[in-house]
Amino acid sequence: MIKNIKVVKVALLMSAFSAQWSVHADDKLATILNNLEPSLFAPNTVSTSQFEYGASLSPDGKKFAFVRALARFSHSALVMTHKKEGVWQTPTLLPFSGEFHDTNPYFSKDSNTFYFTSRRPVEGAKKDIFKMWQVSFDGDKFGQPELVPGKINGDHNVIYPTVHINKDIYFSSMIKGSTGNVDLFISKYHPDGYQAPIEITELNSTVSDADPEVSTDGKLLFFTSMRPGGLGHYDLYVSVKQKDGKWGQPINLGNKINSRRMDSDPILSADGNTLFFSSDNNPEVKAVKNYNELLKRQDSVHNGLMNIYSVDITELNNYLRQNI
């Protein structure tokens, strides 16, 4: 009996210690999230008064591809800027883009392939479907676009695909029978063509979950979601890979990154320590006094259209890998 009491006491002490550690861990994470300082990326060059979103940084950090779109996503094209002497240059239209509705650019981890999605016509395929395309890239010149082979492309939209270092493709789509409205999927690489999409069920909610980006080491997955408990429209989240191979409980990235508006399109730098994302958050919402002031507001970066932001997440990365 005494032995059993001692066991219970030890268990209670361990439980109390564990609970106390969890509280401190949560406090630490909250502090890290609160210290994040996102900023407009390349203001007036990349982030302008126009409609920009969906970026990708080349592994060498010298090229930055993104989307320029017309209002209400009626048409979009892929553009790219180069860094010269530390300054991002005026973007140029990619040679294969402009005629069709192209979006979601992505540099492969070896920089030899450039990926994107497009509604360009495919013979025998359903019209107005975003399919995933690939283009050879030698760091200077692009080849001709061709469909990514295998079963990743079908009668479903391929939305915001990202390609892991092992060549597996993570993407979002609306596939019949999946959990929510828009869900997260993975299509595993095979030399003969990509395998049929597999739903990432542990992360999907009954609403919309999209735009997955996985860290190079495969331990973190960033995505956007409309799930309950967020700050507004779409919020950015991160999940940590667990020991059983499943993705853990998503963590909201907090109000320094998320807003009441749409926060989406997370992309990591090659070292994983910089997060790029898109947002139409407008911190300058206030009354205007006259017509000229209204025009000035419309022509400003913060006019309510999507912009691209970057934020250093080094401390967050380290904490998540060590404690979650």
Short mmCIF file of all heavy atoms in Angstrom, two decimals, residues 69-126:
data_model
loop_
_atom_site.label_atom_id
_atom_site.label_comp_id
_atom_site.label_asym_id
_atom_site.label_seq_id
_atom_site.Cartn_x
_atom_site.Cartn_y
_atom_site.Cartn_z
N ALA A 69 -1.08 39.64 -61.30
CA ALA A 69 -2.43 39.27 -61.70
C ALA A 69 -3.31 40.49 -61.92
O ALA A 69 -3.04 41.58 -61.40
CB ALA A 69 -3.06 38.37 -60.64
N LEU A 70 -4.37 40.28 -62.68
CA LEU A 70 -5.41 41.28 -62.83
C LEU A 70 -6.42 41.09 -61.72
O LEU A 70 -6.41 40.09 -61.00
CB LEU A 70 -6.08 41.15 -64.20
CG LEU A 70 -5.15 41.33 -65.42
CD1 LEU A 70 -5.95 41.17 -66.71
CD2 LEU A 70 -4.45 42.67 -65.39
N ALA A 71 -7.31 42.04 -61.57
CA ALA A 71 -8.29 42.01 -60.49
C ALA A 71 -9.11 40.72 -60.53
O ALA A 71 -9.41 40.18 -61.59
CB ALA A 71 -9.21 43.22 -60.59
N ARG A 72 -9.44 40.23 -59.33
CA ARG A 72 -10.28 39.04 -59.15
C ARG A 72 -9.68 37.81 -59.82
O ARG A 72 -10.40 36.90 -60.24
CB ARG A 72 -11.70 39.31 -59.66
CG ARG A 72 -12.40 40.48 -58.98
CD ARG A 72 -13.79 40.70 -59.55
NE ARG A 72 -14.66 39.58 -59.23
CZ ARG A 72 -15.33 39.45 -58.10
NH1 ARG A 72 -15.22 40.38 -57.16
NH2 ARG A 72 -16.10 38.40 -57.89
N PHE A 73 -8.35 37.77 -59.95
CA PHE A 73 -7.65 36.62 -60.52
C PHE A 73 -8.13 36.30 -61.94
O PHE A 73 -8.09 35.15 -62.37
CB PHE A 73 -7.83 35.37 -59.64
CG PHE A 73 -7.26 35.51 -58.26
CD1 PHE A 73 -8.06 35.90 -57.20
CD2 PHE A 73 -5.92 35.25 -58.01
CE1 PHE A 73 -7.54 36.03 -55.91
CE2 PHE A 73 -5.39 35.38 -56.74
CZ PHE A 73 -6.20 35.77 -55.69
N SER A 74 -8.62 37.32 -62.66
CA SER A 74 -9.15 37.08 -64.00
C SER A 74 -8.07 36.63 -64.98
O SER A 74 -8.35 35.93 -65.96
CB SER A 74 -9.86 38.33 -64.52
OG SER A 74 -8.96 39.44 -64.56
N HIS A 75 -6.85 37.04 -64.76
CA HIS A 75 -5.72 36.60 -65.57
C HIS A 75 -4.46 36.84 -64.75
O HIS A 75 -4.39 37.77 -63.95
CB HIS A 75 -5.64 37.36 -66.89
CG HIS A 75 -4.64 36.77 -67.86
ND1 HIS A 75 -4.90 35.63 -68.58
CD2 HIS A 75 -3.39 37.15 -68.20
CE1 HIS A 75 -3.85 35.33 -69.34
NE2 HIS A 75 -2.93 36.25 -69.12
N SER A 76 -3.48 35.98 -64.95
CA SER A 76 -2.21 36.16 -64.22
C SER A 76 -1.06 35.65 -65.07
O SER A 76 -1.23 34.79 -65.94
CB SER A 76 -2.24 35.43 -62.88
OG SER A 76 -2.47 34.04 -63.05
N ALA A 77 0.12 36.20 -64.82
CA ALA A 77 1.31 35.82 -65.57
C ALA A 77 2.49 35.72 -64.61
O ALA A 77 2.48 36.27 -63.50
CB ALA A 77 1.60 36.85 -66.66
N LEU A 78 3.52 35.01 -65.05
CA LEU A 78 4.71 34.79 -64.22
C LEU A 78 5.80 35.78 -64.60
O LEU A 78 6.11 35.97 -65.78
CB LEU A 78 5.22 33.36 -64.42
CG LEU A 78 4.20 32.24 -64.19
CD1 LEU A 78 4.81 30.89 -64.48
CD2 LEU A 78 3.67 32.30 -62.76
N VAL A 79 6.38 36.40 -63.59
CA VAL A 79 7.46 37.35 -63.80
C VAL A 79 8.63 36.99 -62.88
O VAL A 79 8.47 36.21 -61.93
CB VAL A 79 7.00 38.80 -63.54
CG1 VAL A 79 5.88 39.19 -64.49
CG2 VAL A 79 6.54 38.97 -62.09
N MET A 80 9.78 37.55 -63.17
CA MET A 80 10.96 37.24 -62.36
C MET A 80 11.86 38.46 -62.25
O MET A 80 12.00 39.23 -63.20
CB MET A 80 11.73 36.06 -62.95
CG MET A 80 12.88 35.57 -62.07
SD MET A 80 13.46 33.91 -62.54
CE MET A 80 14.20 34.24 -64.13
N THR A 81 12.45 38.62 -61.07
CA THR A 81 13.43 39.66 -60.85
C THR A 81 14.76 39.03 -60.46
O THR A 81 14.79 37.93 -59.90
CB THR A 81 12.96 40.64 -59.75
OG1 THR A 81 14.00 41.59 -59.49
CG2 THR A 81 12.64 39.91 -58.46
N HIS A 82 15.85 39.71 -60.78
CA HIS A 82 17.20 39.24 -60.44
C HIS A 82 17.83 40.21 -59.45
O HIS A 82 17.61 41.42 -59.52
CB HIS A 82 18.08 39.15 -61.69
CG HIS A 82 17.61 38.16 -62.71
ND1 HIS A 82 16.50 38.37 -63.50
CD2 HIS A 82 18.11 36.95 -63.06
CE1 HIS A 82 16.34 37.33 -64.30
NE2 HIS A 82 17.29 36.45 -64.05
N LYS A 83 18.64 39.67 -58.56
CA LYS A 83 19.36 40.53 -57.63
C LYS A 83 20.71 40.90 -58.22
O LYS A 83 21.49 40.02 -58.62
CB LYS A 83 19.55 39.83 -56.28
CG LYS A 83 20.24 40.70 -55.24
CD LYS A 83 20.44 39.97 -53.92
CE LYS A 83 19.16 39.92 -53.13
NZ LYS A 83 19.38 39.36 -51.76
N LYS A 84 20.98 42.19 -58.29
CA LYS A 84 22.24 42.68 -58.82
C LYS A 84 22.84 43.66 -57.83
O LYS A 84 22.21 44.67 -57.50
CB LYS A 84 22.02 43.37 -60.18
CG LYS A 84 23.29 43.85 -60.85
CD LYS A 84 22.98 44.47 -62.21
CE LYS A 84 24.25 44.95 -62.89
NZ LYS A 84 23.94 45.57 -64.21
N GLU A 85 24.03 43.33 -57.34
CA GLU A 85 24.71 44.16 -56.35
C GLU A 85 23.80 44.45 -55.16
O GLU A 85 23.74 45.57 -54.65
CB GLU A 85 25.21 45.46 -56.99
CG GLU A 85 26.25 45.23 -58.08
CD GLU A 85 26.73 46.52 -58.72
OE1 GLU A 85 26.16 47.58 -58.38
OE2 GLU A 85 27.65 46.46 -59.55
N GLY A 86 23.07 43.42 -54.74
CA GLY A 86 22.23 43.52 -53.56
C GLY A 86 20.88 44.17 -53.77
O GLY A 86 20.12 44.34 -52.81
N VAL A 87 20.56 44.53 -55.02
CA VAL A 87 19.30 45.22 -55.31
C VAL A 87 18.47 44.41 -56.30
O VAL A 87 18.98 43.96 -57.33
CB VAL A 87 19.57 46.63 -55.89
CG1 VAL A 87 18.25 47.33 -56.23
CG2 VAL A 87 20.38 47.47 -54.91
N TRP A 88 17.19 44.22 -55.99
CA TRP A 88 16.30 43.51 -56.90
C TRP A 88 15.93 44.42 -58.07
O TRP A 88 15.50 45.55 -57.88
CB TRP A 88 15.04 43.04 -56.17
CG TRP A 88 15.33 41.96 -55.17
CD1 TRP A 88 15.41 42.08 -53.81
CD2 TRP A 88 15.61 40.59 -55.47
NE1 TRP A 88 15.71 40.87 -53.24
CE2 TRP A 88 15.84 39.93 -54.23
CE3 TRP A 88 15.67 39.84 -56.64
CZ2 TRP A 88 16.13 38.57 -54.14
CZ3 TRP A 88 15.97 38.48 -56.56
CH2 TRP A 88 16.19 37.86 -55.33
N GLN A 89 16.11 43.89 -59.29
CA GLN A 89 15.91 44.66 -60.49
C GLN A 89 14.45 44.61 -60.97
O GLN A 89 13.65 43.82 -60.48
CB GLN A 89 16.83 44.14 -61.60
CG GLN A 89 18.30 44.12 -61.22
CD GLN A 89 18.83 45.50 -60.86
OE1 GLN A 89 18.82 46.40 -61.69
NE2 GLN A 89 19.29 45.67 -59.63
N THR A 90 14.12 45.47 -61.92
CA THR A 90 12.76 45.51 -62.47
C THR A 90 12.37 44.14 -63.01
O THR A 90 13.11 43.55 -63.81
CB THR A 90 12.67 46.55 -63.60
OG1 THR A 90 13.02 47.83 -63.08
CG2 THR A 90 11.26 46.59 -64.17
N PRO A 91 11.24 43.59 -62.60
CA PRO A 91 10.83 42.26 -63.06
C PRO A 91 10.57 42.22 -64.57
O PRO A 91 10.22 43.23 -65.18
CB PRO A 91 9.53 42.00 -62.28
CG PRO A 91 9.58 42.94 -61.12
CD PRO A 91 10.31 44.15 -61.61
N THR A 92 10.76 41.04 -65.14
CA THR A 92 10.45 40.82 -66.55
C THR A 92 9.52 39.61 -66.68
O THR A 92 9.53 38.70 -65.84
CB THR A 92 11.72 40.57 -67.37
OG1 THR A 92 12.43 39.45 -66.82
CG2 THR A 92 12.62 41.79 -67.36
N LEU A 93 8.73 39.62 -67.73
CA LEU A 93 7.80 38.53 -68.00
C LEU A 93 8.59 37.30 -68.43
O LEU A 93 9.50 37.39 -69.27
CB LEU A 93 6.83 38.94 -69.11
CG LEU A 93 5.72 37.95 -69.47
CD1 LEU A 93 4.69 37.86 -68.35
CD2 LEU A 93 5.05 38.40 -70.78
N LEU A 94 8.26 36.13 -67.87
CA LEU A 94 8.94 34.91 -68.28
C LEU A 94 8.54 34.58 -69.72
O LEU A 94 7.40 34.81 -70.14
CB LEU A 94 8.58 33.76 -67.35
CG LEU A 94 9.13 33.90 -65.92
CD1 LEU A 94 8.84 32.65 -65.09
CD2 LEU A 94 10.63 34.17 -65.93
N PRO A 95 9.47 34.04 -70.51
CA PRO A 95 9.26 33.90 -71.96
C PRO A 95 8.10 33.00 -72.36
O PRO A 95 7.57 33.15 -73.47
CB PRO A 95 10.60 33.33 -72.45
CG PRO A 95 11.23 32.72 -71.25
CD PRO A 95 10.81 33.56 -70.10
N PHE A 96 7.69 32.09 -71.50
CA PHE A 96 6.61 31.16 -71.83
C PHE A 96 5.27 31.57 -71.22
O PHE A 96 4.28 30.84 -71.33
CB PHE A 96 6.96 29.75 -71.37
CG PHE A 96 7.37 29.68 -69.92
CD1 PHE A 96 6.43 29.59 -68.92
CD2 PHE A 96 8.71 29.73 -69.57
CE1 PHE A 96 6.80 29.55 -67.58
CE2 PHE A 96 9.10 29.69 -68.23
CZ PHE A 96 8.15 29.59 -67.24
N SER A 97 5.23 32.73 -70.55
CA SER A 97 4.03 33.14 -69.83
C SER A 97 3.43 34.40 -70.43
O SER A 97 4.12 35.16 -71.12
CB SER A 97 4.35 33.36 -68.35
OG SER A 97 3.18 33.56 -67.60
N GLY A 98 2.15 34.61 -70.16
CA GLY A 98 1.48 35.82 -70.61
C GLY A 98 0.24 35.54 -71.44
O GLY A 98 -0.78 36.21 -71.31
N GLU A 99 0.30 34.52 -72.29
CA GLU A 99 -0.84 34.20 -73.15
C GLU A 99 -1.95 33.50 -72.37
O GLU A 99 -3.14 33.76 -72.59
CB GLU A 99 -0.40 33.32 -74.32
CG GLU A 99 -1.53 32.95 -75.26
CD GLU A 99 -1.08 32.09 -76.43
OE1 GLU A 99 0.13 31.77 -76.51
OE2 GLU A 99 -1.95 31.72 -77.25
N PHE A 100 -1.54 32.62 -71.46
CA PHE A 100 -2.51 31.82 -70.71
C PHE A 100 -2.51 32.22 -69.23
O PHE A 100 -1.66 32.98 -68.78
CB PHE A 100 -2.20 30.33 -70.87
CG PHE A 100 -2.14 29.88 -72.30
CD1 PHE A 100 -0.92 29.58 -72.89
CD2 PHE A 100 -3.29 29.77 -73.06
CE1 PHE A 100 -0.85 29.17 -74.21
CE2 PHE A 100 -3.24 29.36 -74.38
CZ PHE A 100 -2.01 29.06 -74.96
N HIS A 101 -3.47 31.67 -68.52
CA HIS A 101 -3.62 31.95 -67.08
C HIS A 101 -2.60 31.09 -66.32
O HIS A 101 -2.85 29.93 -66.02
CB HIS A 101 -5.04 31.60 -66.67
CG HIS A 101 -5.48 32.22 -65.37
ND1 HIS A 101 -4.60 32.71 -64.44
CD2 HIS A 101 -6.71 32.42 -64.85
CE1 HIS A 101 -5.26 33.18 -63.41
NE2 HIS A 101 -6.55 33.02 -63.63
N ASP A 102 -1.42 31.66 -66.03
CA ASP A 102 -0.33 30.95 -65.35
C ASP A 102 -0.20 31.45 -63.92
O ASP A 102 -0.37 32.63 -63.64
CB ASP A 102 1.00 31.17 -66.08
CG ASP A 102 0.98 30.68 -67.51
OD1 ASP A 102 0.22 29.73 -67.80
OD2 ASP A 102 1.71 31.26 -68.34
N THR A 103 0.18 30.54 -63.02
CA THR A 103 0.33 30.93 -61.62
C THR A 103 1.23 29.93 -60.90
O THR A 103 1.75 28.98 -61.49
CB THR A 103 -1.07 31.01 -60.94
OG1 THR A 103 -0.93 31.54 -59.63
CG2 THR A 103 -1.75 29.66 -60.89
N ASN A 104 1.46 30.16 -59.61
CA ASN A 104 2.18 29.23 -58.72
C ASN A 104 3.57 28.82 -59.22
O ASN A 104 3.84 27.64 -59.46
CB ASN A 104 1.35 27.97 -58.50
CG ASN A 104 -0.03 28.24 -57.95
OD1 ASN A 104 -0.99 27.57 -58.29
ND2 ASN A 104 -0.16 29.25 -57.11
N PRO A 105 4.52 29.76 -59.36
CA PRO A 105 5.88 29.40 -59.78
C PRO A 105 6.64 28.69 -58.66
O PRO A 105 6.39 28.93 -57.48
CB PRO A 105 6.51 30.75 -60.09
CG PRO A 105 5.82 31.69 -59.14
CD PRO A 105 4.40 31.20 -59.07
N TYR A 106 7.60 27.83 -59.04
CA TYR A 106 8.39 27.14 -58.02
C TYR A 106 9.71 26.66 -58.61
O TYR A 106 9.73 25.92 -59.60
CB TYR A 106 7.63 25.95 -57.44
CG TYR A 106 8.18 25.47 -56.11
CD1 TYR A 106 7.84 26.11 -54.93
CD2 TYR A 106 9.05 24.39 -56.05
CE1 TYR A 106 8.35 25.70 -53.71
CE2 TYR A 106 9.57 23.96 -54.84
CZ TYR A 106 9.21 24.62 -53.67
OH TYR A 106 9.72 24.20 -52.46
N PHE A 107 10.83 27.08 -58.00
CA PHE A 107 12.15 26.61 -58.39
C PHE A 107 12.42 25.25 -57.75
O PHE A 107 12.18 25.07 -56.55
CB PHE A 107 13.25 27.57 -57.92
CG PHE A 107 13.31 28.87 -58.67
CD1 PHE A 107 12.73 30.02 -58.15
CD2 PHE A 107 13.96 28.95 -59.90
CE1 PHE A 107 12.80 31.22 -58.83
CE2 PHE A 107 14.04 30.16 -60.58
CZ PHE A 107 13.46 31.29 -60.05
N SER A 108 12.94 24.30 -58.52
CA SER A 108 13.36 23.03 -57.93
C SER A 108 14.57 23.28 -57.04
O SER A 108 15.27 24.28 -57.17
CB SER A 108 13.72 22.02 -59.01
OG SER A 108 14.87 22.45 -59.74
N LYS A 109 14.80 22.36 -56.11
CA LYS A 109 15.88 22.54 -55.15
C LYS A 109 17.27 22.51 -55.80
O LYS A 109 18.23 23.02 -55.24
CB LYS A 109 15.79 21.46 -54.06
CG LYS A 109 14.51 21.53 -53.23
CD LYS A 109 14.40 22.83 -52.47
CE LYS A 109 13.24 22.87 -51.49
NZ LYS A 109 11.94 23.03 -52.13
N ASP A 110 17.37 21.90 -57.00
CA ASP A 110 18.66 21.89 -57.70
C ASP A 110 18.74 22.98 -58.77
O ASP A 110 19.74 23.07 -59.50
CB ASP A 110 18.92 20.52 -58.34
CG ASP A 110 17.85 20.13 -59.36
OD1 ASP A 110 16.99 20.98 -59.69
OD2 ASP A 110 17.87 18.97 -59.81
N SER A 111 17.68 23.79 -58.87
CA SER A 111 17.61 24.91 -59.81
C SER A 111 17.57 24.49 -61.28
O SER A 111 17.61 25.33 -62.17
CB SER A 111 18.80 25.88 -59.62
OG SER A 111 18.71 26.54 -58.38
N ASN A 112 17.46 23.20 -61.57
CA ASN A 112 17.46 22.75 -62.96
C ASN A 112 16.07 22.70 -63.58
O ASN A 112 15.93 22.55 -64.79
CB ASN A 112 18.09 21.35 -63.07
CG ASN A 112 19.57 21.37 -62.74
OD1 ASN A 112 20.25 22.37 -62.99
ND2 ASN A 112 20.06 20.29 -62.17
N THR A 113 15.05 22.82 -62.74
CA THR A 113 13.68 22.74 -63.23
C THR A 113 12.84 23.84 -62.58
O THR A 113 13.02 24.16 -61.41
CB THR A 113 13.05 21.37 -62.92
OG1 THR A 113 13.91 20.33 -63.38
CG2 THR A 113 11.69 21.22 -63.60
N PHE A 114 11.96 24.39 -63.37
CA PHE A 114 11.04 25.42 -62.89
C PHE A 114 9.62 24.89 -63.09
O PHE A 114 9.28 24.40 -64.16
CB PHE A 114 11.25 26.70 -63.70
CG PHE A 114 10.45 27.88 -63.22
CD1 PHE A 114 10.92 28.69 -62.19
CD2 PHE A 114 9.23 28.20 -63.80
CE1 PHE A 114 10.19 29.79 -61.76
CE2 PHE A 114 8.50 29.29 -63.38
CZ PHE A 114 8.98 30.09 -62.35
N TYR A 115 8.81 24.98 -62.04
CA TYR A 115 7.45 24.45 -62.08
C TYR A 115 6.44 25.59 -62.01
O TYR A 115 6.71 26.66 -61.46
CB TYR A 115 7.21 23.50 -60.91
CG TYR A 115 8.11 22.29 -60.87
CD1 TYR A 115 9.31 22.32 -60.16
CD2 TYR A 115 7.77 21.12 -61.54
CE1 TYR A 115 10.15 21.21 -60.12
CE2 TYR A 115 8.60 20.00 -61.50
CZ TYR A 115 9.78 20.06 -60.79
OH TYR A 115 10.60 18.97 -60.75
N PHE A 116 5.26 25.34 -62.54
CA PHE A 116 4.17 26.30 -62.41
C PHE A 116 2.86 25.59 -62.74
O PHE A 116 2.85 24.44 -63.21
CB PHE A 116 4.37 27.51 -63.33
CG PHE A 116 4.31 27.21 -64.81
CD1 PHE A 116 3.16 27.50 -65.55
CD2 PHE A 116 5.39 26.64 -65.47
CE1 PHE A 116 3.10 27.22 -66.90
CE2 PHE A 116 5.34 26.37 -66.83
CZ PHE A 116 4.18 26.66 -67.55
N THR A 117 1.74 26.25 -62.47
CA THR A 117 0.44 25.71 -62.88
C THR A 117 -0.18 26.64 -63.91
O THR A 117 0.11 27.83 -63.94
CB THR A 117 -0.51 25.53 -61.69
OG1 THR A 117 -0.79 26.81 -61.11
CG2 THR A 117 0.09 24.62 -60.63
N SER A 118 -1.03 26.06 -64.74
CA SER A 118 -1.59 26.86 -65.84
C SER A 118 -2.89 26.26 -66.34
O SER A 118 -3.11 25.04 -66.25
CB SER A 118 -0.58 26.92 -66.99
OG SER A 118 -1.12 27.64 -68.09
N ARG A 119 -3.72 27.14 -66.87
CA ARG A 119 -4.95 26.72 -67.55
C ARG A 119 -4.75 26.62 -69.05
O ARG A 119 -5.72 26.54 -69.80
CB ARG A 119 -6.08 27.69 -67.24
CG ARG A 119 -6.72 27.49 -65.88
CD ARG A 119 -7.86 28.46 -65.67
NE ARG A 119 -8.60 28.17 -64.45
CZ ARG A 119 -9.55 28.95 -63.94
NH1 ARG A 119 -9.85 30.09 -64.55
NH2 ARG A 119 -10.18 28.61 -62.84
N ARG A 120 -3.50 26.63 -69.51
CA ARG A 120 -3.25 26.51 -70.94
C ARG A 120 -3.86 25.21 -71.46
O ARG A 120 -3.90 24.21 -70.73
CB ARG A 120 -1.76 26.61 -71.25
CG ARG A 120 -0.88 25.61 -70.54
CD ARG A 120 0.59 25.94 -70.77
NE ARG A 120 0.93 27.25 -70.24
CZ ARG A 120 1.96 27.99 -70.67
NH1 ARG A 120 2.76 27.51 -71.61
NH2 ARG A 120 2.21 29.17 -70.15
N PRO A 121 -4.35 25.21 -72.69
CA PRO A 121 -5.09 24.04 -73.19
C PRO A 121 -4.22 22.79 -73.32
O PRO A 121 -3.04 22.87 -73.65
CB PRO A 121 -5.58 24.51 -74.56
CG PRO A 121 -4.65 25.61 -74.96
CD PRO A 121 -4.27 26.29 -73.68
N VAL A 122 -4.85 21.66 -73.02
CA VAL A 122 -4.23 20.35 -73.19
C VAL A 122 -5.17 19.50 -74.02
O VAL A 122 -6.34 19.34 -73.67
CB VAL A 122 -3.97 19.67 -71.82
CG1 VAL A 122 -3.41 18.27 -72.02
CG2 VAL A 122 -3.02 20.51 -70.98
N GLU A 123 -4.67 18.97 -75.11
CA GLU A 123 -5.52 18.20 -76.02
C GLU A 123 -6.17 17.01 -75.30
O GLU A 123 -5.49 16.23 -74.62
CB GLU A 123 -4.70 17.70 -77.20
CG GLU A 123 -5.53 17.00 -78.27
CD GLU A 123 -4.71 16.60 -79.48
OE1 GLU A 123 -3.51 16.96 -79.53
OE2 GLU A 123 -5.27 15.92 -80.37
N GLY A 124 -7.47 16.91 -75.42
CA GLY A 124 -8.20 15.80 -74.83
C GLY A 124 -8.51 15.95 -73.36
O GLY A 124 -9.13 15.06 -72.76
N ALA A 125 -8.08 17.05 -72.74
CA ALA A 125 -8.29 17.24 -71.31
C ALA A 125 -9.42 18.24 -71.06
O ALA A 125 -9.77 19.05 -71.93
CB ALA A 125 -7.01 17.73 -70.64
N LYS A 126 -9.98 18.18 -69.88
CA LYS A 126 -11.03 19.10 -69.48
C LYS A 126 -10.50 20.52 -69.47
O LYS A 126 -9.38 20.79 -69.05
CB LYS A 126 -11.52 18.71 -68.08
CG LYS A 126 -12.72 19.50 -67.59
CD LYS A 126 -13.16 18.98 -66.22
CE LYS A 126 -14.35 19.77 -65.70
NZ LYS A 126 -14.78 19.27 -64.36
#
